Amino acid sequence: EKMYTQIKQLDPNHPAYQVLYQIGILEKYFDVTDVLGTDPYPVGSADLTKTSSNTQITMASTHGAKGVWMVPQLMDWAVYHEDRTPHPPSLDEMRNQSYQAIINGATGLIFYSYYDMMYEKYPRGDSTKNMVLFNKRWADASSMAHEIDGIIPAVLHGSKVPLALPANAQIEAGALQYNNELLIMLANPYYQEEKITFALPAGWKIKDADQGE
């Protein structure tokens, strides 16, 4: 509380941002930050669902009164732990985390972390630095960021449109209305094919169908 008060006094023109992984105590930070975030880092686990669950919990803890900027994973857990199998996040895994966070209400993404992308295994140091790998990963990260950049106006200024999703939906789905268009976002957090069927919101119909991978 003292730190937050001091920061606001010294620099009232910028928001204070807290990032936590202690999901169970997020509400304790409600009065000591302007923007709240959590860092799920799901890549290397059985699936990527932790991004959605963490975003939902973070959103709930802010009660609609604070910004939520999530922290998607760019680093490889094997850089920190000798017993982990190397698994640097792929382009699809980075995109998937981003869309999961946005679908569930995040309006900011702070990716972690640039410098760890230079290393391919534990421990971090010159002997494990791989700039060929970094250049490939950086190209993927840039491609993903460019794509997300294209929907920023809808994320920041659009209005959320409810989707009538089936109760057992395995796919994260969300819709934003912006400039008389409906942006529908889908993210499958599992490492196998999943299906989802739902009706478009009333008054909307498909004009163009443009689907990537």
Side-chain angles (χ1 to χ4, degrees):
E1 290 173 351
K2 290 180 179 178
M3 204 160 46
Y4 176 64
T5 300
Q6 184 181 42
I7 288 171
K8 297 303 289 183
Q9 288 173 345
L10 294 173
D11 185 6
N13 297 319
H14 295 89
Y17 176 41
Q18 290 270 17
V19 179
L20 301 145
Y21 63 87
Q22 299 91 338
I23 288 295
I25 61 169
L26 291 183
E27 293 217 17
K28 290 181 179 291
Y29 289 80
F30 182 85
D31 292 323
V32 295
T33 192
D34 303 308
V35 181
L36 189 62
T38 53
D39 44 5
Y41 302 161
V43 180
S45 302
D47 56 54
L48 305 176
T49 57
K50 195 175 179 183
T51 298
S52 285
S53 61
N54 275 26
T55 307
Q56 292 163 7
I57 294 169
T58 308
M59 289 292 297
S61 71
T62 64
H63 304 284
K66 306 285 182 177
V68 171
W69 299 352
M70 294 299 291
V71 186
Q73 176 184 353
L74 291 186
M75 55 60 172
D76 183 350
W77 276 114
V79 169
Y80 305 139
H81 302 283
E82 191 171 11
D83 59 342
R84 296 289 290 264
T85 301
H87 185 161
S90 67
L91 171 58
D92 283 339
E93 287 166 330
M94 289 186 283
R95 292 171 72 241
N96 193 292
Q97 293 176 79
S98 303
Y99 281 110
Q100 281 192 70
I102 293 168
I103 287 167
N104 285 284
T107 55
L109 301 172
I110 308 290
F111 294 90
Y112 187 88
S113 68
Y114 169 83
Y115 53 86
D116 281 331
M117 295 171 70
M118 300 178 188
Y119 304 102
E120 59 179 339
K121 60 183 179 180
Y122 178 90
R124 285 180 291 184
D126 290 341
S127 63
T128 58
K129 187 176 287 187
N130 185 333
M131 295 309 293
V132 173
L133 175 65
F134 170 81
N135 288 332
K136 179 187 179 304
R137 293 179 66 191
W138 185 248
D140 287 343
S142 300
S143 172
M144 174 273 303
H146 180 72
E147 178 178 334
I148 300 300
D149 189 55
I151 65 169
I152 284 177
V155 172
L156 294 182
H157 305 295
S159 56
K160 192 168 186 178
V161 177
L163 295 177
L165 303 177
N168 61 346
Q170 295 287 84
I171 302 225
E172 296 293 324
L176 295 170
Q177 181 178 345
Y178 179 69
N179 278 354
N180 297 317
E181 293 184 340
L182 189 69
L183 171 65
I184 295 180
M185 298 168 289
L186 305 169
N188 174 11
Y190 298 97
Y191 286 102
Q192 70 270 343
E193 286 188 356
E194 299 286 349
K195 294 183 180 180
I196 188 170
T197 302
F198 58 91
L200 287 175
W204 292 97
K205 63 180 181 179
I206 295 175
K207 180 180 179 181
D208 298 300
D210 183 10
Q211 180 177 320
E213 292 186 11

